[in-house]
Amino acid sequence: MDYTCQGKILERSDKEEIFDAIDELKVGMEVSNEAEAYNLCNTYAFRKGFSIRKGNIRRDAQNNVRQRDYFCSKEGFQSDEDLCEVKKVRRLDTRTGCKALIRFTVDNGIWKISHINLDHNHEFAKPEERQFLRSGRHIPRVRAGILGPKVDESTRPTKSYSYLGKKFGNAENVGSTNQDCLNYLQRNKEEMLEGGDGQSLINYFKHKQMEDPSFFYSVQVDQFNRITNYFWRDGRSKLDYDCFGDVVCFDTTFRTKKYNLICAPFVGVNHHCKNVLFGCAFVSDESTDSFIWLFETFLESMGYKQPKTIFTDVGNAMANAIAVMLRETRHRLCIWHISKNATQYIGSHYSNHEFKEHFNKCFHDCLTEAEFESTWNDLIRKFNLEGNSWLQELYSLREKWCPAFSLDTFTANIRSSNRGESITSTFHQISTKTMDLIGLVQHYEKKTKVVRSAELEEDFRCKNGMPHLRANSGIFKHAASEYTIKMYSFFENELMSIFGVRMIEVGNDGNQYIYEAIEEGHPRVYIIEYNSATSMVSCSCKLFESIGLLCRHALKVLDLKNFTSIPTRYIVKRWTKGAKKRIVESSHLYESSYKMGKSAQSLRLSELMHEGNNVFSIGSLCDSGTRIVKQKLVEAMKLLESDEETTSMQGNLNKVDDQFVRDVLLDN
């Protein structure tokens, strides 16, 4: 049998923790491979106070391991050495002829303890001495996972050992010496990015910047001056973010195969309800500092415009960074990631249809906090899950995933489970293919081209065709002329559903009307308010606030009031065919508590980039168009040179540059 916990095969770090709890070894214990066999014996030896080493190994005719012995490190005696041989270091003789051993027999890939001799002829190390045991002096993954982030926070290697000592109570509990920590850090350094590979990537970014002046990249280095974190985006991504950056999905589930870097794309939803890519990063760890750097860099690249909502997986470091850098953004948890984790932590229940129905109701069908609490408590009681730690943690985060707590948060429907699947299908190859850094960036660029080609195809379909209308009149025609084909299908579904809505008027003061509505076959009551003076309508289901489309209940009221078109305020531009035409963002979207001057300039630059991109695209179609654009650019430059405000700002920039040069010369 393998070591399991709550029905799941343990990851290596989990097994190390279980091995730590083993006081005695017994014949018949099984593990999956040689590494686990060594770890099991080594952890047991460390707890007892002795060191081990690998002993005899027997193989079959096909060279498969059939038997492996692990000896006490004091087994046998040291062989006589040539005293005339010059050695820089002469090791102490520690052998005592100890006969203790642990033997594994291998059958069909399963390593089973077949013989044990635990009789030692020497004293065991005391608890405070165990840190010096040779085989115990290593950095397990559990400790390395703690040590790694501290290294990236510019902690000196000598302080890393002290940090581990504090983390595990005292130095004796660390299981390694200060020198071992230094060795680990050096090995970790060598396993990091090869210098040539990192520099090649920077050179590649510089080349891309020459091709695309709007291309943006940034890198972060650690105390060894090694590049640890990268972020980049091209000019088109900035334009896309200006149009669709209200909702962002930040995914850190992908790791590069060669360097084990986290590949973290920033993904949004375009007007066709398809993925749009805003940029990508390679991050060396999931520490708060790394995420703070990344989010700050991302905001800088996007003119400090913060999204309304960001979706992520569960993670304290990420949540802390979002709280620091994205203060105007609502943090939500991706349902797809939660569902994926559910199969791991409550797999036996999650496969139960009845349980899954109750579980999904908490995520999709609870519109009030009271309704959620009742549904959740019923779920826990019905399936006896009061002590499940994963569900307890999930409940503590309920405000980040349950719609009852965020009905007024715009999500662009990105919280649907198929969004996570779509992102995974785009980036899963990054985790399976061995590529250097430039190859990974080029792989991302290929995926970006595929995504943009799909958008271009949808734009073409919208421009050259109309959806088949259920009724060729009124709101149907207006919606089809405004919305993209995909969004029209969503809207049409809501519009057709008004025939299943039963509504009564419960209040009226002349201008303000209040209605109660129910849907056939459902007991829930919705409250709709309508103002006849302003044509404003709102519903308690909050579909418009969360997605940007009027719900069937609000449309029922508009139909009752004989509307033949959608009120302009309820047509959200990001869902229309013209979503990317003449984008001019309101300055309040860019306001933040820092770098206001730079943000204002970024706003104006973004506006000019959008306008200029359209002009350049049309002008490049033919020679005469190109000549017209060039001529007008020359005229524009002359106008700028004669504009007092522009020349004054340019003069101030030149003064700053001149002062910087003088300061450098004085320093030298």
Side-chain angles (χ1 to χ4, degrees):
M1 66 178 182
D2 201 346
Y3 290 94
T4 60
C5 180
Q6 295 184 354
K8 68 185 180 93
I9 299 296
L10 294 174
E11 298 294 334
R12 183 175 176 182
S13 58
D14 298 326
K15 288 178 180 175
E16 287 173 352
E17 293 177 357
I18 286 186
F19 291 167
D20 284 343
I22 293 176
D23 290 321
E24 296 295 338
L25 296 182
K26 298 179 181 179
V27 173
M29 281 186 170
E30 296 177 356
V31 292
S32 301
N33 53 54
E34 184 174 4
E36 291 179 11
Y38 180 84
N39 288 338
L40 176 63
C41 297
N42 195 31
T43 305
Y44 167 79
F46 183 83
R47 290 178 64 85
K48 290 298 182 181
F50 66 96
S51 188
I52 67 168
R53 59 187 174 86
K54 295 179 180 179
N56 301 326
I57 186 169
R58 294 181 181 177
R59 301 178 183 271
D60 60 16
Q62 288 74 40
N63 203 37
N64 297 317
V65 177
R66 289 304 181 192
Q67 184 175 292
R68 161 68 90 176
D69 293 344
Y70 295 95
F71 296 148
C72 172
S73 63
K74 293 182 179 291
E75 181 270 342
F77 297 94
Q78 187 173 9
S79 58
D80 294 334
E81 63 182 24
D82 186 358
L83 298 178
C84 296
E85 182 181 355
V86 178
K87 291 186 176 181
K88 292 183 179 180
V89 178
R90 293 188 180 274
R91 293 184 178 179
L92 296 177
D93 184 1
T94 61
R95 305 289 183 89
T96 63
C98 182
K99 300 294 184 181
L101 72 82
I102 305 165
R103 175 170 294 161
F104 282 82
T105 301
V106 184
D107 186 21
N108 294 325
I110 302 299
W111 288 60
K112 180 188 294 185
I113 297 179
S114 58
H115 177 72
I116 300 177
N117 178 7
L118 300 179
D119 294 329
H120 296 262
N121 65 355
H122 54 88
E123 292 183 358
F124 288 157
K126 298 176 182 179
E128 64 270 21
E129 298 171 337
R130 293 174 187 170
Q131 59 180 307
F132 306 116
L133 293 171
R134 186 173 180 82
S135 69
R137 287 166 49 188
H138 69 298
I139 309 292
R141 284 183 61 185
V142 174
R143 291 157 175 77
I146 296 171
L147 183 59
K150 298 304 294 180
V151 175
D152 290 331
E153 294 170 12
S154 298
T155 303
R156 291 179 177 270
T158 53
K159 292 184 179 180
S160 300
Y161 185 71
S162 300
Y163 176 78
L164 284 177
K166 294 178 182 179
K167 193 70 178 178
F168 289 92
N170 52 55
E172 290 78 13
N173 296 334
V174 173
S176 54
T177 66
N178 185 35
Q179 184 60 45
D180 296 322
C181 286
L182 294 174
N183 293 339
Y184 167 77
L185 296 180
Q186 181 60 30
R187 290 194 305 270
N188 188 51
K189 175 182 177 181
E190 292 171 356
E191 292 169 0
M192 285 296 290
L193 304 181
E194 300 170 4
D197 204 0
Q199 186 59 50
S200 295
L201 181 59
I202 293 178
N203 293 340
Y204 183 77
F205 284 157
K206 290 180 178 179
H207 174 72
K208 299 295 292 186
Q209 203 167 53
M210 292 177 64
E211 293 180 340
D212 175 8
S214 299
F215 185 92
F216 179 97
Y217 75 93
S218 183
V219 298
Q220 185 183 38
V221 298
D222 62 9
Q223 75 272 24
F224 299 112
N225 204 33
R226 299 171 308 183
I227 301 172
T228 56
N229 300 327
Y230 297 80
F231 170 80
W232 77 96
R233 62 122 182 100
D234 62 10
R236 167 70 182 274
S237 294
K238 174 64 168 64
L239 302 180
D240 287 335
Y241 184 80
D242 286 341
C243 299
F244 309 117
D246 42 13
V247 179
V248 173
C249 183
F250 178 63
D251 201 323
T252 58
T253 58
F254 313 102
R255 283 187 177 268
T256 65
K257 194 170 183 179
K258 184 173 182 180
Y259 293 119
N260 199 35
L261 292 173
I262 300 163
C263 177
F266 290 84
V267 184
V269 179
N270 66 14
H271 50 324
H272 302 295
C273 208
K274 292 184 178 293
N275 287 343
V276 59
L277 303 179
F278 300 139
C280 193
F282 292 144
V283 186
S284 60
D285 62 59
E286 296 186 80
S287 65
T288 298
D289 282 356
S290 287
F291 286 132
I292 286 178
W293 173 86
L294 179 55
F295 292 143
E296 182 176 20
T297 302
F298 177 76
L299 288 178
E300 179 186 356
S301 75
M302 299 301 182
Y304 297 97
K305 172 188 174 183
Q306 297 192 21
K308 295 179 181 178
T309 310
I310 186 169
F311 284 86
T312 72
D313 194 2
V314 178
N316 290 333
M318 195 184 307
N320 293 337
I322 290 173
V324 172
M325 295 307 306
L326 300 175
R327 298 176 182 176
E328 302 169 17
T329 301
R330 189 73 176 267
H331 184 198
R332 303 279 292 158
L333 297 179
C334 179
I335 291 179
W336 182 80
H337 284 113
I338 294 177
S339 300
K340 187 178 180 181
N341 291 335
T343 61
Q344 179 181 359
Y345 292 104
I346 52 173
S348 58
H349 292 287
Y350 200 64
S351 58
N352 182 309
H353 178 74
E354 185 179 5
F355 173 85
K356 198 169 184 178
E357 185 176 335
H358 282 75
F359 190 69
N360 288 340
K361 183 178 180 181
C362 296
F363 287 88
H364 302 289
D365 298 331
C366 296
L367 297 185
T368 66
E369 296 181 24
E371 185 180 1
F372 165 76
E373 295 292 343
S374 175
T375 304
W376 183 267
N377 291 333
D378 289 345
L379 173 75
I380 299 299
R381 284 194 298 266
K382 184 177 181 66
F383 296 95
N384 300 316
L385 292 169
E386 289 83 356
N388 188 283
S389 59
W390 183 76
L391 287 174
Q392 290 173 356
E393 181 184 6
L394 187 64
Y395 176 79
S396 69
L397 299 171
R398 60 193 179 279
E399 293 185 2
K400 292 186 177 181
W401 55 263
C402 178
F405 297 89
S406 58
L407 287 175
D408 58 345
T409 301
F410 186 73
T411 67
N413 206 32
I414 205 172
R415 70 187 184 92
S416 63
S417 60
N418 61 348
R419 184 62 51 190
E421 294 174 3
S422 178
I423 296 172
T424 299
S425 66
T426 302
F427 290 98
H428 76 282
Q429 288 180 314
I430 284 178
S431 302
T432 59
K433 290 188 175 182
T434 302
M435 294 180 279
D436 59 17
L437 293 178
I438 293 180
L440 290 167
V441 173
Q442 291 174 337
H443 177 81
Y444 172 82
E445 291 172 346
K446 289 179 182 178
K447 294 299 181 181
T448 302
K449 289 180 180 178
V450 172
V451 167
R452 291 172 180 171
S453 177
E455 179 182 314
L456 185 62
E457 182 179 4
E458 289 297 324
D459 286 339
F460 179 82
R461 292 181 64 221
C462 290
K463 186 184 299 184
N464 292 276
M466 286 279 287
H468 178 73
L469 306 183
R470 299 287 185 91
N472 193 24
S473 61
I475 290 182
F476 286 93
K477 291 180 66 175
H478 185 214
S481 66
E482 293 286 346
Y483 292 127
T484 61
I485 295 174
K486 183 68 173 180
M487 297 313 299
Y488 172 78
S489 67
F490 289 156
F491 179 84
E492 186 184 66
N493 181 63
E494 291 297 317
L495 189 56
M496 293 298 296
S497 297
I498 68 174
F499 298 107
V501 176
R502 299 292 174 260
M503 189 172 61
I504 59 173
E505 182 181 311
V506 295
N508 178 3
D509 65 359
N511 288 327
Q512 192 75 14
Y513 295 81
I514 301 176
Y515 300 91
E516 288 185 354
I518 61 171
E519 299 177 23
E520 292 181 358
H522 300 279
R524 180 178 284 124
V525 178
Y526 301 92
I527 306 299
I528 305 99
E529 298 183 13
Y530 170 73
N531 188 298
S532 59
T534 61
S535 298
M536 294 183 64
V537 61
S538 64
C539 178
S540 60
C541 77
K542 302 290 185 181
L543 184 71
F544 179 78
E545 287 79 359
S546 63
I547 295 181
L549 290 177
L550 285 175
C551 65
R552 61 196 65 182
H553 320 110
L555 290 171
K556 181 78 172 182
V557 173
L558 296 184
D559 183 61
L560 180 68
K561 299 300 180 181
N562 297 316
F563 275 75
T564 58
S565 63
I566 307 168
T568 303
R569 62 165 52 91
Y570 297 114
I571 298 178
V572 178
K573 187 173 184 179
R574 70 155 357 267
W575 297 130
T576 66
K577 300 174 183 178
K580 302 183 77 171
K581 292 181 180 178
R582 301 184 63 82
I583 291 293
V584 180
E585 299 286 356
S586 300
S587 60
H588 74 275
L589 290 175
Y590 290 82
E591 290 176 0
S592 58
S593 58
Y594 53 88
K595 300 185 180 179
M596 283 297 295
K598 191 169 184 178
S599 298
Q601 182 184 0
S602 298
L603 168 65
R604 294 189 290 268
L605 178 60
S606 175
E607 180 180 346
L608 291 174
M609 285 173 62
H610 278 285
E611 297 289 346
N613 187 60
N614 291 331
V615 172
F616 298 152
S617 296
I618 297 173
S620 64
L621 294 176
C622 59
D623 291 338
S624 60
T626 302
R627 285 195 299 271
I628 292 173
V629 172
K630 286 184 175 181
Q631 178 184 345
K632 294 303 178 182
L633 285 175
V634 172
E635 294 176 7
M637 182 58 71
K638 291 180 180 179
L639 290 173
L640 289 173
E641 291 172 350
S642 62
D643 182 71
E644 293 184 4
E645 183 179 1
T646 303
T647 54
S648 175
M649 291 297 295
Q650 184 67 36
N652 291 337
L653 288 176
N654 292 336
K655 290 178 182 179
V656 172
D657 291 340
D658 292 343
Q659 183 61 46
F660 175 77
V661 172
R662 286 194 293 269
D663 291 343
V664 171
L665 292 174
L666 288 173
D667 290 340
N668 293 332

